[in-house]
Amino acid sequence: MAAERTARSLLSRLEDLVGPERVISDPAALAEVGRDRTENPARMPAAAVRLRTTEEVAALLALADELRIPVTARVAGTNIGGLAIPADGGIVLDLSEMNRVIELNHPNMYALIEPGVTWAQLKQHLFDHGDDLVIGYPLAPPDTSVAAGCLMDGLSTLTLRWGPMGEWINGLEVVLAGGQVVRTGAGAVSDTWFSRAPLPDLTGLFLNWFGTTGIVTKLAVQLWPKPAVRRRMFVPCARREAAFAAMRALAPTQLYDDVGGLSWVPSKKAFGVLSPGPRDPDEPEFYLYIDISGGERREFRLKIQLLEERLAGLRKLGHGFSDPIDMADLVRLNPVFKKFAELPTRLDFLLDHGGGGLSWVGTYGPIERLDQAASLGIAVMEAHGFPPSIVSRPMRGGHFAVLRFIELFDRRSPVETERVVRVNHELCDVLLDQGFVPYKCPPWAVPKVMAKMDPGMAALMRRVKDLLDPHGILNPGKWGF
Amino acid sequence: MVYVDRVETMNLLGLILQGLLFTNMRDPQKARRIAGVKGDVLIRADRMRVTLRLRDGDVWILRGEAGPPDAHVHGSLSALLHVALGRGLFAPALRGDLSAGGRIGMLLRLLPLLRVDDGG
């Protein structure tokens, strides 16, 4: 009875803040925002609130802090790792209506955006406003949040050239747990959000913290000049070792925007093959997607020529590649290739399957250990009956690499869900032992990461958390807080 | 109609050809070209092989070699795609990237079904 009274009182105070039409208390709708596609357990929040302004976020956080009610921010809710799953009885901050591109700064090449701005929206906005600037796009659905991708250091078609997306952030506006609003980066001093330099870099207090230290309400993200020519080339690789050798050889040349790799499994799924395998031993094991751009056509042609020469050199070392094929040609032959030709793309081949479950272990790690880590990971996947569905790409000029193992499963089946839990744990152990570190670290992986973490860093993280969120209301359960 | 034998195990070549054949077979004029043709065509691109089995106006795509073929086309994947994109047979053949043999008449009837016709 008392709990019911408290819940009613919370709803009434939320309605006072934003009006009843933007407070969601319907149990079915709340159940929907209390889960994601992964094996992570669902939760039941007390309410979800659609917020539209920084002032509303500040007022809500002040209220939540006063009442000691946990809050979790959410836009699309498609994070693969349970990071947008709220606490039982908590409040979901639905930021999807905070979706303005506030400023598109051409001379300083950045966009100031709200957290609800999606990849498709920003792409259209750039097209509509001069079509002279670009951003890299992740292998994520078009309706997902640009800010979330940046704040979780995601990967994209320009992360080989410019580093993980967290490095693209020039500054933030953030609401702290008590409702205080702060700015980081040059925008804290200047009327222009041109850089994180030269001030103390407090942006990092909110980068990869998964909303446990503050709620970001504005983000300035770097853009780059749109090249005159950009093409995507498709290179079938006989073996994955060939793909990794090509990544290592091509990344440091700085000639290519992206050298992404997919194993045969997701490639087949794109053709509508639900459960591909076993693989034809005579067909390529891995496919590279190489983005090549040029300020003018002769630069582009030279880069293609150099690509062919590099691949020829690798062939002499025993690696098998087909000749690079223009993705536009493949799309003409079979429209299925559209899914890989231009991002962001609908990931129907990963998302629209009977069981609806999608999970992965994604890591960043030392590029020279890709072969070993991939072999060990594939052995784990096969031991659990999963085909080797892998995404990999070199990052920031080849300083490191991504290695991600993906599982599709039927999340209605407890047996399958348990199988995913087990394979993910084993994959995480194997990859951590190889020196790879999970990105967008899911709660279940935190103890494994912490066990390896320098104790000084772990203690400092705790102190930062206590300083910024003394009552522990911000996205509890993430990073072990 | 176009059928793929055991699509779960089909290789990339077969899946690309499936899309191409499916599109072309919707054109009744093109489909008629193989209406009375019976035979197996082996297509090899790099190391991938598929057999196109022509029966009763339908095409079955089988992985690998399904017995001795009546005709064959061998080449690099890029050479085969060159032809499929309608950029001509002769350049890759002269370079030695493409070869064909067996019942050439059957190949000539099949060729328009293996070529994209989008004006691109």
Side-chain angles (χ1 to χ4, degrees):
Chain A
M1 207 60 166
E4 205 175 299
R5 259 202 313 276
T6 309
R8 268 206 305 274
S9 149
L10 170 66
L11 290 176
S12 135
R13 291 189 68 177
L14 292 173
E15 287 173 3
D16 288 345
L17 280 182
V18 297
E21 69 284 358
R22 286 197 276 139
V23 177
I24 297 148
S25 56
D26 167 56
L30 291 177
E32 202 51 45
V33 297
R35 64 178 195 159
D36 63 14
R37 287 181 170 273
T38 68
E39 76 285 8
N40 291 281
R43 304 286 182 220
M44 193 61 179
V49 187
R50 295 200 303 271
L51 299 170
R52 291 179 182 160
T53 66
T54 299
E55 291 72 26
E56 287 178 357
V57 174
L60 195 144
L61 288 194
L63 174 65
D65 202 43
E66 175 202 324
L67 300 175
R68 308 285 194 265
I69 295 178
V71 295
T72 298
R74 178 185 177 97
V75 178
T78 50
N79 168 257
I80 306 298
L83 297 175
I85 294 178
D88 280 326
I91 305 170
V92 173
L93 274 60
D94 179 345
L95 303 179
S96 58
E97 292 181 10
M98 290 184 75
N99 60 357
R100 291 178 305 147
V101 178
I102 297 163
E103 180 192 2
L104 183 57
N105 190 307
H106 286 265
N108 294 290
M109 294 188 288
Y110 71 81
L112 182 63
I113 59 172
E114 292 185 323
V117 170
T118 65
W119 291 105
Q121 182 190 349
L122 183 56
K123 186 174 187 175
Q124 187 64 46
H125 192 91
L126 294 176
F127 180 77
D128 292 342
H129 293 78
D131 198 24
D132 56 344
L133 294 169
V134 294
I135 192 167
Y137 296 99
L139 189 64
D143 60 347
T144 52
S145 162
V146 178
C150 291
L151 288 165
M152 292 191 287
D153 246 343
L155 52 144
S156 82
T157 50
L158 284 177
T159 44
L160 169 58
R161 192 168 282 286
W162 303 115
M165 293 195 280
E167 295 184 18
W168 306 358
I169 300 173
N170 280 358
L172 302 171
E173 179 189 84
V174 189
V175 182
L176 303 183
Q180 184 192 352
V181 181
V182 299
R183 283 185 177 190
T184 70
V189 174
S190 171
D191 62 352
T192 305
W193 299 67
F194 56 82
S195 167
R196 259 146 91 165
L199 299 169
D201 187 8
L202 299 190
T203 299
L205 293 173
F206 309 98
L207 175 58
N208 289 319
W209 284 83
F210 313 142
T212 62
T213 50
I215 303 295
V216 171
T217 46
K218 290 187 183 70
L219 180 146
V221 62
Q222 293 172 7
L223 307 168
W224 293 279
K226 183 175 181 178
V229 190
R230 168 172 273 157
R231 303 279 275 278
R232 171 164 284 194
M233 307 302 288
F234 176 78
V235 182
C237 310
R239 307 271 304 157
R240 64 178 179 276
E241 290 83 356
F244 295 149
M247 287 181 194
R248 283 193 292 269
L250 298 173
T253 65
Q254 303 283 323
L255 291 170
Y256 307 105
D257 292 345
D258 190 21
V259 185
L262 284 180
S263 67
W264 61 276
V265 180
S267 309
K268 292 282 182 69
K269 284 184 189 293
F271 280 93
V273 182
L274 287 179
S275 304
R279 180 178 72 89
D280 177 354
D282 288 332
E283 74 174 316
E285 186 183 349
F286 233 82
Y287 301 97
L288 290 179
Y289 298 83
I290 302 178
D291 286 353
I292 306 177
S293 61
E296 48 186 298
R297 290 203 174 271
R298 60 186 170 156
E299 180 190 346
F300 176 77
R301 279 198 297 270
L302 180 61
K303 286 179 177 176
I304 292 272
Q305 187 187 331
L306 290 168
L307 170 64
E308 284 167 350
E309 287 175 14
R310 292 267 170 173
L311 294 180
L314 289 167
R315 279 190 195 106
K316 284 182 187 158
L317 297 174
H319 295 300
F321 302 98
S322 297
D323 291 330
I325 304 161
D326 193 318
M327 187 61 82
D329 287 341
L330 286 174
V331 172
R332 283 181 62 206
L333 291 174
N334 194 323
V336 159
F337 281 103
K338 261 187 201 159
K339 292 170 191 171
F340 298 116
E342 196 173 352
L343 302 183
T345 186
R346 273 279 301 129
L347 297 177
D348 54 346
F349 59 103
L350 292 179
L351 300 175
D352 300 343
H353 59 99
L358 171 65
S359 188
W360 66 50
V361 175
T363 56
Y364 292 168
I367 195 165
E368 82 281 8
R369 294 187 207 159
L370 274 175
D371 299 85
Q372 173 75 358
S375 296
L376 291 167
I378 287 169
V380 169
M381 289 197 87
E382 288 178 346
H384 287 271
F386 288 101
S389 198
I390 303 176
V391 174
S392 182
R393 58 157 47 104
M395 299 279 277
R396 200 171 50 183
H399 281 93
F400 63 102
V402 175
L403 187 58
R404 181 163 83 202
F405 294 87
I406 303 170
E407 307 105 25
L408 305 189
F409 65 102
D410 184 349
R411 63 179 171 166
R412 296 162 302 190
S413 156
V415 174
E416 278 221 15
T417 303
E418 181 53 32
R419 195 159 64 100
V420 170
V421 168
R422 282 202 308 273
V423 76
N424 277 349
H425 274 273
E426 276 185 47
L427 281 169
C428 192
D429 290 340
V430 158
L431 293 168
L432 275 166
D433 283 347
Q434 290 294 311
F436 284 69
V437 180
Y439 63 88
K440 303 179 183 176
C441 189
W444 59 263
V446 168
K448 296 174 189 292
V449 174
M450 287 297 179
K452 296 254 181 194
M453 190 181 276
D454 165 64
M457 174 162 173
L460 185 56
M461 281 179 71
R462 180 78 254 176
R463 286 171 65 190
V464 168
K465 170 69 176 173
D466 289 344
L467 178 71
L468 295 178
D469 181 23
H471 301 126
I473 64 159
L474 293 174
N475 209 10
K478 318 306 183 299
W479 277 128
F481 301 132
Chain B
M1 292 289 285
V2 181
Y3 302 97
V4 180
D5 179 50
R6 291 181 297 142
V7 69
E8 292 78 15
T9 63
M10 182 48 67
N11 58 34
L12 179 76
L13 176 63
L15 293 172
I16 292 176
L17 289 175
Q18 177 195 16
L20 193 55
L21 285 164
F22 182 77
T23 304
N24 283 325
M25 291 284 278
R26 280 189 300 196
D27 177 344
Q29 212 172 349
K30 286 185 179 177
R32 263 200 302 276
R33 290 182 65 92
I34 57 157
V37 181
K38 183 178 175 183
D40 286 357
V41 178
L42 176 67
I43 299 187
R44 196 179 78 204
D46 294 334
R47 291 173 55 206
M48 285 183 282
R49 287 167 301 162
V50 298
T51 298
L52 301 183
R53 175 160 290 166
L54 312 181
R55 292 282 189 282
D56 306 323
D58 295 331
V59 184
W60 281 85
I61 305 175
L62 298 94
R63 190 179 109 183
E65 222 167 313
D70 300 289
H72 68 264
V73 180
H74 295 173
S76 66
L77 182 59
S78 56
L80 284 167
L81 295 184
H82 185 92
V83 175
L85 289 162
R87 291 173 184 160
L89 279 162
F90 295 110
L94 288 173
R95 280 198 307 270
D97 287 346
L98 191 70
S99 65
R103 285 168 52 192
I104 297 296
M106 188 164 85
L107 285 179
L108 289 174
R109 292 178 82 90
L110 182 63
L111 186 61
L113 288 163
L114 297 177
R115 208 165 43 198
V116 71
D117 189 18
D118 60 0

